[in-house]
Amino acid sequence: LLKPDRGILGILEFSEPDDSHGVLGMMARGFIRYIVPLVGGILSGAPQEYLHLQNSIQDFPSPEDFRTLLESLNCPGHFQMEPVTHLN
């Protein structure tokens, strides 16, 4: 629950870069899909957890799609969305 007119919700979630990021996006997707699960599994001894992480990142909607989903909710009261910030 957020306080009316003063509540702030921040969502920090990973998503794969789309094709608009060109070669670097393709390299980042390969890193997320293959390198992170491999190295994380080796270092932690728990490869299934890192495979789950990779799958959740791949399945999470793009920042624009997630924003559209949030804006489509019929929440009581008023809320304002700040611009989506891409960190990838």
Side-chain angles (χ1 to χ4, degrees):
L1 296 175
L2 299 175
K3 291 184 177 184
D5 298 324
R6 294 186 297 175
I8 296 175
L9 171 66
I11 299 172
L12 304 174
E13 183 59 61
F14 290 105
S15 62
E16 289 190 348
D18 60 22
D19 292 335
S20 69
H21 291 87
V23 173
L24 288 178
M26 184 178 68
M27 291 171 58
R29 284 190 303 274
F31 182 79
I32 292 167
R33 290 179 185 177
Y34 305 108
I35 305 301
V36 169
L38 177 67
V39 173
I42 290 170
L43 294 177
S44 71
Q48 287 301 97
E49 282 77 0
Y50 284 87
L51 188 57
H52 170 72
L53 174 66
Q54 179 269 323
N55 289 334
S56 70
I57 292 170
Q58 186 175 2
D59 294 340
F60 198 78
S62 71
E64 291 81 13
D65 290 344
F66 190 63
R67 178 184 179 136
T68 300
L69 174 69
L70 290 178
E71 290 176 334
S72 72
L73 299 174
N74 291 325
C75 296
H78 172 75
F79 72 95
Q80 179 179 351
M81 299 279 297
E82 297 289 328
V84 174
T85 302
H86 296 267
L87 299 178
N88 53 5

